Amino acid sequence: HKYWGLLPGTTGDRESMEYITKEFESLGLTVEHFPYTLPEYFRPTDWSGSYTTADGQTVNLTTVYPAAPTTGTPPEGVTGEAVWAGIGAAPDYIGRDVKDKVVVIYSVFVPGGRSHSASNRARLFNAETRAVELGAAAIVTIMGVPGNGQFQSMGGKREVPHFSLSQDEGFALRDRLATGEKVVMTLKLEAP
């Protein structure tokens, strides 16, 4: 399952339970099963992200990952010019038109590990809310951890599609934007 396969209700969850049941029974333990109805929970089924450079090259983003929760996109996705917004504090938006564009924000984890600087939960910059208020079509948060890992950005309800991106892929994008190159991003998300 593309969205972290061991979550309750997924095929990965069922396969794990079957394996654990067999192992317990092989030890002579009795396994009891109780029915449980899962509450509605954000669980996207598919997503992708890419950008097109000024010379027409398409770069597929392998570490793009949907934030939880967030809204889905139309089947064709959301396409817009990428705009770098730094850490997303109020001064970072001065002179930047982000209406109908993909806002790219750099964020670092804050103490406790359950939040990051761009999220509303951290109460540092409220960068995500600010991007929505200024009319962003989508948000991409570059997670400030060296490497090419995937991260799930957590936060409140989002009115626009929101994704995280690894630092390696994010900095490659940032470096293109730093030259003044026009970069057009396309993000797709199938979500309930």
Side-chain angles (χ1 to χ4, degrees), residues 87-110:
I87 59 172
D92 293 319
Y93 287 95
I94 294 173
R96 286 189 171 88
D97 174 17
V98 300
K99 184 161 180 51
D100 299 324
K101 297 180 181 170
V102 178
V103 176
V104 181
I105 302 168
Y106 181 75
S107 190
V108 295
F109 289 107
V110 295

Side-chain angles (χ1 to χ4, degrees), residues 4-40:
W4 293 6
L6 299 183
L7 291 174
T10 64
T11 55
D13 170 50
R14 286 187 290 280
E15 291 167 3
S16 296
M17 290 304 296
E18 288 170 12
Y19 172 79
I20 292 168
T21 298
K22 285 179 188 175
E23 290 299 311
F24 281 176
E25 289 173 343
S26 75
L27 295 170
L29 299 172
T30 301
V31 178
E32 295 183 31
H33 298 271
F34 300 93
Y36 179 76
T37 302
L38 290 172
E40 187 175 314

Side-chain angles (χ1 to χ4, degrees), residues 93 105 118-120 125-135 139 157 159:
Y93 287 95
I105 302 168
S119 77
N120 295 339
F125 306 119
N126 294 327
E128 297 161 354
T129 296
R130 188 170 288 107
V132 169
E133 289 171 350
L134 293 172
I139 300 169
K157 181 177 183 282
E159 294 80 6

Side-chain angles (χ1 to χ4, degrees), residues 6-185:
L6 299 183
L7 291 174
T10 64
T11 55
D13 170 50
R14 286 187 290 280
E15 291 167 3
S16 296
M17 290 304 296
E18 288 170 12
Y19 172 79
I20 292 168
T21 298
K22 285 179 188 175
E23 290 299 311
F24 281 176
E25 289 173 343
S26 75
L27 295 170
L29 299 172
T30 301
V31 178
E32 295 183 31
H33 298 271
F34 300 93
Y36 179 76
T37 302
L38 290 172
E40 187 175 314
Y41 182 74
F42 172 79
R43 223 172 255 151
T45 54
D46 199 19
W47 61 89
S48 64
S50 64
Y51 60 86
T52 305
T53 62
D55 61 3
Q57 175 189 6
T58 297
V59 176
N60 291 313
L61 300 168
T62 60
T63 63
V64 70
Y65 203 84
T70 191
T71 187
T73 66
E76 68 277 7
V78 170
T79 299
E81 182 180 348
V83 176
W84 178 262
I87 59 172
D92 293 319
Y93 287 95
I94 294 173
R96 286 189 171 88
D97 174 17
V98 300
K99 184 161 180 51
D100 299 324
K101 297 180 181 170
V102 178
V103 176
V104 181
I105 302 168
Y106 181 75
S107 190
V108 295
F109 289 107
V110 295
R114 293 284 302 153
S115 192
H116 56 95
S117 62
S119 77
N120 295 339
R121 289 174 63 178
R123 292 185 173 89
L124 293 175
F125 306 119
N126 294 327
E128 297 161 354
T129 296
R130 188 170 288 107
V132 169
E133 289 171 350
L134 293 172
I139 300 169
V140 173
T141 303
I142 298 170
M143 302 307 293
V145 176
N148 235 11
Q150 286 185 315
F151 298 92
Q152 182 181 50
S153 173
M154 301 295 286
K157 181 177 183 282
R158 295 189 174 84
E159 294 80 6
V160 301
H162 186 168
F163 298 83
S164 65
L165 191 62
S166 74
Q167 183 169 287
D168 285 1
E169 283 193 315
F171 279 6
L173 171 61
R174 176 207 60 188
D175 293 347
R176 285 187 178 276
L177 295 171
T179 68
E181 178 179 354
K182 182 177 179 178
V183 174
V184 176
M185 297 189 80

